[in-house]
Amino acid sequence: MSQPIEELLRDLKSADEEIRERATQGLWEMWFMQKGMQGLQVLRQSQMMADSGNIRQAELMLTQLILSQPDFVEAWNRRAVLFYMQGDYKRSIKDCLKAISLNPYHFGAIHGLGLCYAAIGNYSEAIATFHRALEIQPFSLTNQKLILECTAMLN
């Protein structure tokens, strides 16, 4: 039986790395499985399309999934990742914000939003966003490092 989300979110703050890792995996699993096997299958297929270079098809699949399941947070997040990978930061930001509005604890979407802000040179917004991600995952070395890098860019 899976842990309740509150417990997983609390475990992200544990001093024990193994507990944090398990919680992280548990949350990703929960998010990917939000719409059951059918939703998961579309996410996987779109990822395979993207990995094989068929970005347009991957985007179409995710857009159709979003249209049919507008509350499917991971579909928004995956499309945001796709846009980010293409350098389309404006559209990625929009999808990240939608994912976060649906799930304010989605550290992946929050991290992605910070990456977008950094990519467009909005370092103070990036720093604030990475700090927000650290509130959920205080031990994230990646977000800590990105805060330092963005802070250096301000000077």
Side-chain angles (χ1 to χ4, degrees):
M1 191 177 126
S2 61
Q3 292 175 276
I5 190 160
E6 297 78 19
E7 198 176 307
L8 292 169
L9 289 168
R10 188 184 63 239
D11 285 352
L12 289 177
K13 295 173 170 61
S14 171
D16 185 325
E17 188 178 351
E18 201 174 293
I19 291 173
R20 289 194 311 270
E21 192 54 44
R22 239 191 337 262
T24 301
Q25 287 308 117
L27 286 163
W28 278 117
E29 197 173 296
M30 191 180 284
W31 296 336
F32 271 84
M33 288 300 294
Q34 181 190 347
K35 296 296 178 180
M37 284 309 291
Q38 189 180 358
L40 178 65
Q41 202 55 42
V42 178
L43 292 177
R44 282 183 177 157
Q45 287 174 331
S46 71
Q47 188 61 54
M48 286 191 298
M49 288 289 172
D51 290 347
S52 68
N54 198 340
I55 304 297
R56 185 77 191 113
Q57 187 61 37
E59 183 189 326
L60 280 171
M61 290 177 82
L62 291 169
T63 299
Q64 287 173 338
L65 185 57
I66 286 167
L67 290 171
S68 68
Q69 309 273 344
D71 64 334
F72 192 1
V73 180
E74 199 52 40
W76 289 99
N77 186 50
R78 291 288 107 200
R79 193 172 72 173
V81 170
L82 206 58
F83 290 149
Y84 176 83
M85 306 287 279
Q86 297 173 77
D88 192 344
Y89 305 119
K90 202 173 245 177
R91 287 171 78 193
S92 185
I93 287 169
K94 203 173 158 199
D95 279 4
C96 285
L97 289 171
K98 179 64 179 180
I100 295 163
S101 75
L102 292 168
N103 178 355
Y105 302 105
H106 197 301
F107 51 79
I110 297 168
H111 173 78
L113 182 62
L115 289 175
C116 288
Y117 287 138
I120 61 173
N122 188 342
Y123 299 112
S124 40
E125 197 62 46
I127 291 165
T129 305
F130 292 132
H131 274 293
R132 184 174 169 190
L134 281 176
E135 288 171 21
I136 301 164
Q137 281 185 306
F139 290 92
S140 169
L141 295 176
T142 303
N143 288 322
Q144 293 171 24
K145 184 172 151 277
L146 288 164
I147 288 169
L148 293 174
E149 288 174 9
C150 289
T151 303
M153 296 303 285
L154 287 174
N155 301 326

